[in-house]
Amino acid sequence: MGAPASWPEPGDSGELDDGTRVEFWDYGVFALTPAQPGSKDVILSCAIHGNETAPIEMVRDMLHDIFSGKLQLRQRTLFLIGNPQAIMIGKRFVDYNMNRLFSGAHKSGDTPEHKRAADIESYVTKFYNEAPADGKRQRLHYDLHTAIRDSAYEKFAVYPFTHGGPYKKEQLTFLAECGVTTILLNQAPTTTFSYYSVRSHGADAFTVELGKVRPFGENDMSRFADADRMFRKLISQDQLDLPAFDATRHTIFDVYRTINRTQQGFRLNFPGDVANFTEFEQGYLLAVDESVEYHVEQPGERIIFPNADVAIGQRALLTVVELPLDQLELV
């Protein structure tokens, strides 16, 4: 399969020289199946927020190397570029934050993001359902992001709610090899993309924050080298040769509070450039939602994902606290 004579259209398909089948399901949606697929079904997604460019560049380069024969695929892989319309205008989204629209939340509206989230759910379902029915397959999904602001921990991953299930040492070790040693546990259902894959498809799935948002061409891709190397290994090898689990590599945070914006006059009481995971002293006024004040309630409470400009009813701030790893059930 050489360079196409024209841009592909949804529904187009072809075959690479090594027998890998390439199906173009939609704009930004590439389903690749090796001639002899391994035991993993991997989704690598990016651009659920259209201005998070470094993961888009990573996925672009992986696809280029697969199509040119430089990277040989071994595992079924769905490359999913979430919001092409937002990419085209260089914005986080067109009308609505898409990462609040999964697990059926897209039914609440008809913006481009609502429609795209519904389509994405159908593509994930199709991809996992079309896997060989051998009963021994591993479903994996890494939703790649970069954050709006700096972070005291540059790279971190959100481990979606497991509904009482154990946390997996293999996945924590894989993320550590990607350079992601800080983990934020989400202890409740959400409408994020990664939680959708966990709850609806039984996948091991994560929201992976790899750094800070920058325009195309301004990313220092050397800062993403470990993640790029490990994702390439994941999809091109039969088995990953991971080191033994080492608890000392990981810093774990648990969500303590979710603070939503409920009023037009909501404001945060700290500068806009304050980094994720910044710790404030007990009693500090974090936010004001018109007549309601939110103060730091306990020592060690940190802020993450602050955004006073979210729509009314949406999350404007999380606070987190560090959690000893020995308090988790690990397998």
Side-chain angles (χ1 to χ4, degrees):
M1 180 178 175
S6 60
W7 290 106
E9 291 294 327
D12 286 353
S13 63
E15 193 170 286
L16 303 181
D17 291 342
D18 64 2
T20 296
R21 181 166 180 78
V22 178
E23 299 177 359
F24 186 58
W25 289 351
D26 198 347
Y27 297 107
V29 184
F30 300 83
L32 279 66
T33 303
Q36 295 182 321
S39 60
K40 299 180 179 72
D41 303 305
V42 181
I43 297 176
L44 295 178
S45 59
C46 65
I48 293 299
H49 299 132
N51 63 339
E52 298 176 4
T53 60
I56 303 170
E57 293 181 23
M58 286 176 57
V59 165
R60 174 203 63 195
D61 292 347
M62 276 188 265
L63 283 168
H64 180 272
D65 287 349
I66 291 168
F67 294 157
S68 68
K70 184 178 178 180
L71 178 66
Q72 282 206 315
L73 203 66
R74 186 70 181 95
Q75 308 294 344
R76 291 182 70 244
T77 305
L78 181 67
F79 290 97
L80 204 158
I81 300 170
N83 197 338
Q85 290 188 49
I87 295 171
M88 293 296 291
I89 62 174
K91 301 291 186 181
R92 185 172 171 84
F93 48 80
V94 178
D95 288 305
Y96 203 91
N97 182 356
M98 192 189 293
N99 215 24
R100 301 291 179 270
L101 293 177
F102 292 95
S103 297
H106 50 77
K107 296 175 183 177
S108 64
D110 61 357
T111 72
E113 278 81 18
H114 286 79
K115 296 172 182 176
R116 181 68 169 180
D119 290 341
I120 287 173
E121 286 189 2
S122 72
Y123 301 140
V124 171
T125 299
K126 174 179 170 69
F127 177 71
Y128 284 138
N129 286 351
E130 289 184 351
D134 56 20
K136 299 178 181 179
R137 306 192 63 77
Q138 185 178 16
R139 293 179 172 182
L140 299 167
H141 176 196
Y142 303 95
D143 187 30
L144 308 181
H145 290 254
T146 49
I148 296 172
R149 61 185 60 231
D150 289 321
S151 177
Y153 300 91
E154 181 186 42
K155 297 178 177 65
F156 61 96
V158 180
Y159 206 131
F161 185 42
T162 64
H163 291 268
Y167 298 94
K168 296 187 178 180
K169 295 178 181 179
E170 179 187 50
Q171 288 301 305
L172 292 175
T173 300
F174 174 76
L175 289 168
E177 291 293 292
C178 290
V180 182
T181 57
T182 300
I183 306 295
L184 174 61
L185 306 180
N186 211 324
Q187 300 284 28
T190 66
T191 51
T192 64
F193 190 15
S194 60
Y195 174 76
Y196 165 76
S197 292
V198 170
R199 190 59 173 163
S200 296
H201 298 286
D204 292 314
F206 301 85
T207 303
V208 185
E209 300 281 356
L210 292 171
K212 187 177 178 181
V213 167
R214 300 191 188 283
F216 280 115
E218 295 184 17
N219 295 296
D220 178 1
M221 297 308 290
S222 68
R223 303 188 73 85
F224 305 90
D226 287 341
D228 182 65
R229 171 176 55 84
M230 291 306 297
F231 288 128
R232 286 169 179 260
K233 284 186 175 183
L234 176 68
I235 63 178
S236 66
Q237 296 182 0
D238 281 316
Q239 297 294 331
L240 289 175
D241 184 19
L242 294 173
F245 175 74
D246 180 358
T248 65
R249 300 181 74 181
H250 308 283
T251 303
I252 308 296
F253 288 95
D254 195 7
V255 173
Y256 177 66
R257 278 190 295 172
T258 300
I259 297 173
N260 293 327
R261 179 189 183 190
T262 68
Q263 303 295 331
Q264 194 66 38
F266 181 92
R267 63 180 176 84
L268 298 171
N269 192 43
F270 47 82
D273 59 355
V274 167
N276 282 321
F277 294 102
T278 293
E279 181 178 344
F280 291 90
E281 64 183 24
Q282 193 171 7
Y284 183 87
L285 177 63
L286 290 172
V288 178
D289 196 15
E290 290 197 351
S291 61
V292 179
E293 295 185 347
Y294 295 95
H295 295 260
V296 173
E297 294 182 348
Q298 63 170 299
E301 197 172 350
R302 299 169 182 253
I303 59 99
I304 192 170
F305 299 139
N307 186 354
D309 296 327
V310 297
I312 289 176
Q314 288 193 2
R315 183 195 74 203
L317 177 67
L318 288 178
T319 71
V320 300
V321 292
E322 192 166 351
L323 186 70
L325 195 64
D326 60 14
Q327 293 188 18
L328 302 184
E329 181 184 358
L330 298 168
V331 295

